[in-house]
Amino acid sequence: MANHFLSRIASFMGNKLGLSSEDEAVLLYGLEIVFSSSISFLLAIVLGIIFKVLAEVLMVIIAWFCLRQFAGGAHCSSMWRCALTSSLVPALLGLLAGWLSRYLQKNFILYLFALIFIAAIFITLRLAPADNPQKPVRSSRRRRRFRNLALAAELLLAILLLGAEMLAPGKYTSLVLAGALAVGVETFFLTPAGYRVMSRIDIFWGTLKVK
Amino acid sequence: MRALAIRLLVALAGLLTFISMASAASACTWLYYEPEVPAKLRRE
């Protein structure tokens, strides 16, 4: 239904501006990106407010935004399934980060942080950019460039998050953990196991009749 | 009024084209959904 509505908007714009069908397809692609991003972002914000973890949810989204563009990863099969997954996962990670920051000792948090980033760098080196049938990256030069950018994004995030924890100990621990968990989950979705989990999530939404 | 509407549509089309190109140039969106990339923006 949403896709049909977006197609009609793209078609309307194409008619008014005298665009070719190829150009209309480009507009439709842009509309789909804007619409699905807005829906997912708004749902994530609402869940963040409901669960009182808005800052953590935003931190997860920022970390994903930095990393996923270069590393790629598993996907849902439709816009609404994606919107639900992309809003529920940050909310759950935000809740988990808040909970862990309250109950874990500082040393253990730092070990967890280090473990997540070491694993993330190892997985990124081996698997990024992950295969995506909608947008395959076949050129080895482009693959290398995406991998290097993903590694740079991970290192930058690690430095910024660790810097925040060092400069203001205990003040931003839940945000630091939210960022680290986001990197961990994102890199997990680069692995074959991550693809299987995403496929199960997709099937689960299917059983709930989410189109 | 009509000229203004056309200008707004042109601006919107420009913005959507920019978003499409930026998204097509990345490995993935931040979301768990990836619409099919149009042939015009596809790269090997």
Side-chain angles (χ1 to χ4, degrees):
Chain A
M1 171 134 169
N3 282 342
H4 179 66
F5 177 65
L6 297 178
S7 301
R8 288 191 65 175
I9 294 176
S11 174
F12 171 78
M13 288 177 75
N15 284 339
K16 289 287 171 194
L17 300 175
L19 302 178
S20 67
S21 59
E22 278 188 324
D23 290 333
E24 267 182 34
V26 173
L27 292 187
L28 177 60
Y29 180 64
L31 281 168
E32 283 180 326
I33 298 280
V34 170
F35 185 77
S36 56
S37 298
S38 308
I39 293 286
S40 303
F41 187 72
L42 284 175
L43 274 174
I45 296 291
V46 168
L47 287 176
I49 291 170
I50 290 171
F51 294 127
K52 297 187 172 67
V53 284
L54 181 61
E56 287 80 3
V57 165
L58 288 173
M59 186 68 234
V60 171
I61 291 173
I62 290 168
W64 271 359
F65 189 80
C66 294
L67 192 52
R68 232 177 127 78
Q69 297 200 49
F70 309 122
H75 286 282
C76 288
S77 62
S78 79
M79 192 188 287
W80 291 108
R81 291 179 190 186
C82 152
L84 290 168
T85 313
S86 301
S87 50
L88 277 173
V89 175
L92 289 174
L93 290 182
L95 278 172
L96 184 63
W99 185 78
L100 288 175
S101 68
R102 275 195 297 278
Y103 296 109
L104 288 186
Q105 287 182 342
K106 193 187 166 190
N107 279 351
F108 194 82
I109 288 173
L110 287 176
Y111 289 139
L112 185 66
F113 183 91
L115 187 73
I116 288 173
F117 272 94
I118 289 168
I121 286 170
F122 179 73
I123 292 170
T124 306
L125 273 170
R126 291 207 57 180
L127 299 172
D131 285 331
N132 176 3
Q134 306 286 17
K135 208 191 278 179
V137 185
R138 294 201 182 95
S139 134
S140 58
R141 197 163 145 258
R142 275 190 89 207
R143 291 188 71 83
R144 201 166 48 244
R145 207 179 105 233
F146 277 135
R147 189 180 308 123
N148 290 341
L149 286 168
L151 285 170
E154 277 168 9
L155 287 174
L156 187 68
L157 278 168
I159 290 167
L160 288 175
L161 294 172
L162 207 57
E165 185 60 24
M166 295 293 172
L167 289 173
K171 198 174 175 189
Y172 303 115
T173 309
S174 65
L175 291 180
V176 170
L177 269 174
L181 290 172
V183 169
V185 167
E186 160 53 19
T187 45
F188 172 69
F189 282 125
L190 301 180
T191 64
Y195 272 78
R196 282 197 294 276
V197 169
M198 186 57 82
S199 166
R200 296 257 166 88
I201 292 172
D202 201 57
I203 291 166
F204 170 73
W205 291 129
T207 59
L208 295 182
K209 310 278 182 216
V210 177
K211 294 209 171 171
Chain B
M1 191 66 188
R2 189 179 153 75
L4 179 68
I6 292 291
R7 277 186 189 179
L8 284 174
L9 272 182
V10 169
L12 183 61
L15 182 67
L16 288 172
T17 306
F18 174 75
I19 291 167
S20 301
M21 289 173 78
S23 178
S26 68
C28 179
T29 58
W30 70 273
L31 303 158
Y32 290 130
Y33 175 63
E34 190 73 57
E36 195 178 338
V37 180
K40 203 167 183 176
L41 297 179
R42 226 170 276 158
R43 281 172 67 176
E44 289 305 308

